[in-house]
Amino acid sequence: MKASTFFLGLATGTVAAAITVLYSTPKSGSEIRTSVKSASTDFKETFGDIKLKVNNLKHSISSLTKEAKETVPGAVEGIKQSFENWQQSTEPNRIRLEKELTAIQDALENLEQTIAAHQK
């Protein structure tokens, strides 16, 4: 839903409600004119406040977008660098574990051969 469509609907609903109230109240002409002027002034103030808040929201969103464009690439690069550092720091352990696994596999093969030789 577009903001302009929303505000158009809001304005239309407000005008329709104001007209309905004006025709359903048992007031004199001068009282109605005073009420209409007061409602018009209130509506203008409310609409001005809404417009100001929408502009503030737009500004906040654009600031957040700009900040994200500046911050996110640096954060991603930092994460990549941390991952590379982790890989480098764990590389000796990985190599050691691979050697130990190879030694265990060799020991198991030797054990299987020894058992097979004793069973014959």
Side-chain angles (χ1 to χ4, degrees):
M1 173 189 260
K2 291 185 178 179
S4 60
T5 305
F6 172 74
F7 289 118
L8 180 62
L10 180 66
T12 303
T14 303
V15 169
I19 290 172
T20 302
V21 168
L22 288 176
Y23 282 117
S24 65
T25 49
K27 292 184 180 181
S28 68
S30 63
E31 290 175 333
I32 290 175
R33 284 189 292 277
T34 304
S35 295
V36 168
K37 287 179 184 178
S38 175
S40 173
T41 303
D42 291 344
F43 176 73
K44 287 178 183 178
E45 289 176 5
T46 303
F47 189 72
D49 289 342
I50 290 172
K51 186 176 179 180
L52 180 65
K53 289 178 182 179
V54 167
N55 285 336
N56 288 340
L57 179 63
K58 285 180 182 179
H59 178 69
S60 295
I61 290 172
S62 66
S63 296
L64 179 62
T65 302
K66 181 181 176 185
E67 187 176 327
K69 285 179 182 178
E70 294 171 356
T71 305
V72 170
V76 169
E77 188 59 37
I79 291 169
K80 285 180 182 179
Q81 185 64 38
S82 295
F83 183 72
E84 289 173 5
N85 290 342
W86 175 79
Q87 282 182 325
Q88 290 174 357
S89 69
T90 58
E91 184 66 19
N93 288 334
R94 185 188 64 80
I95 292 170
R96 182 183 52 81
L97 287 173
E98 285 178 356
K99 288 179 182 179
E100 287 179 10
L101 284 174
T102 303
I104 291 171
Q105 287 175 342
D106 291 342
L108 285 174
E109 288 175 6
N110 288 339
L111 183 61
E112 288 174 356
Q113 290 173 358
T114 304
I115 290 173
H118 283 301
Q119 288 180 352
K120 287 185 185 182

